[in-house]
Amino acid sequence: MDILALMPTFGGFLGTVVAFVVALSIIVAIHEYGHYIVGRWCGIHAEVFSLGFGPVIYSRVDTRGTKWQLALLPFGGYVKFLGDSDAASGKDGEAIRELSDAERKRTMHGADLWRRAAAVAAGPIFNFILSILVFGAIFFFSGTATEEPVIGEVKPHPVDVSAFQPGDRILSINGVETPDLTTFYQVARAMTPAETVDYTVERDGVRESFEGVYPFPPIVDVVQPRSAAIDSGMRVGDVIVSIDGQPVYAMTQVQDIVREGAGATMQLSIWRDGDIYDVTLTPRQRDLPTDGGFEQRYLIGFSGGLFFEPTRETLGPFSALWGGVVQTWAIAMNSLSGLWHMITGAISSCNMQGPIGIAQTSGDMASQGAREFVWFVAVLSTAVGLLNLFPIPVLDGGHLVFHAYEAVRGRPPSDRALNYLMTAGLALLLSLMVFALTNDLFCT
């Protein structure tokens, strides 16, 4: 497979690289700062805080004797504590033996067990905190839809929507009353797709009736990264008016046609800002999470919603923060579920992305706007925190397993055993990276 085919233009390639480096640098900096600051609080001295690997571009030493540096290769980072032999916190036995008892307690290998465990666990925990704060901030500033079927903003559509105005309360659809937003959703989803339906609204205390667009039109609200939709140039706000010449008025029609096509190439006619564009694309098979499992479906790669944005209400800071906790937990649980289903063979191993896939996703999300990119950074931060908790030597989770062994046995594993385990862990991690990279190159 030609890797350049993944990046059709230099501008797209450059944007993808920049977005990937920015996202990864933020997440790594937060992760390593967690190790650093909690280690410092616990009395463990950090000799080096590095963002990136390889030749050092810039460095300075602070008043505590920690060297802060920016390295040439921006694909990771590390904190090297006193007594470490390398970036993976290997033990420098010779150097530690030359330290005094007081200095030895300032190393990652001589400090009290709970202090070492706290410093190790802090990296993934700071990743989760970052995710919670970002999701919470997005929820706080965007608010949440009210339970009233009141129009906040009407989305552009080829069917005339000028009869609707912000503040209109929708009283009924095709004569069926809609007293709240939940009922509105239920009524709308049960309707037969049609180009127009009858609405009754209340505006400034006056009831008005008129025809309007189908409640759930095939309008693009979100374009999924690494999808047929984004590769074909589809954008948020696009409205699909026909597929292979067949007019479509509802999102359910699009879903039915794609499902029945079973991956066949199709031509979409798209309305955008008053003009019609033709797009040819091939839906891709994806594994979608369901209650307790996954199902395979062919997808174009976009999602939609109502023809209008409901009015929104502001969330309090604690409610928004709790929403961030719930969102982070859901991402972590879905990730673990997906991994388990890959291991058992229930879903394709192509769901595991490597660096190229993550970079593509970074670029795709950045191309859709700052909010979408920041959301992706929070999702990726959760994934990085979760990955680092896996009980693999060289990862934080592996170190925590060693600390748990020490807590139970009263002594740490021998240096020889640690060296063997760290080597095996590194080999396993590199194998997984190669496997994921292979997925990036050969999975569609």
Side-chain angles (χ1 to χ4, degrees), residues 287-305:
D287 295 299
L288 297 181
T290 60
D291 293 337
F294 285 79
E295 66 173 355
Q296 287 191 337
R297 287 173 54 186
Y298 283 98
L299 301 174
I300 292 176
F302 77 93
S303 57

Side-chain angles (χ1 to χ4, degrees), residues 59-130:
S59 68
R60 71 175 183 86
V61 179
D62 65 17
T63 56
R64 293 184 174 84
T66 300
K67 181 182 179 182
W68 298 77
Q69 66 183 36
L70 184 65
L72 181 63
L73 303 176
F75 303 114
Y78 63 90
V79 176
K80 182 179 179 294
F81 290 103
L82 180 65
D84 289 350
S85 61
D86 50 43
S89 290
K91 184 178 180 180
D92 188 343
E94 183 176 347
I96 291 177
R97 282 191 294 272
E98 295 177 357
L99 299 175
S100 66
D101 290 342
E103 289 175 324
R104 197 170 293 119
K105 287 187 176 297
R106 299 179 66 220
T107 71
M108 179 59 81
H109 307 276
D112 294 337
L113 178 59
W114 72 267
R115 299 177 190 272
R116 287 179 275 143
V120 170
I125 290 173
F126 268 52
N127 282 132
F128 297 138
I129 291 174
L130 172 63

Side-chain angles (χ1 to χ4, degrees), residues 303-332:
S303 57
L306 296 169
F307 73 93
F308 67 91
E309 291 288 350
T311 54
R312 307 185 74 82
E313 59 184 2
T314 303
L315 285 174
F318 293 107
S319 296
L321 198 61
W322 177 247
V325 172
V326 172
Q327 184 66 43
T328 301
W329 176 261
I331 291 170

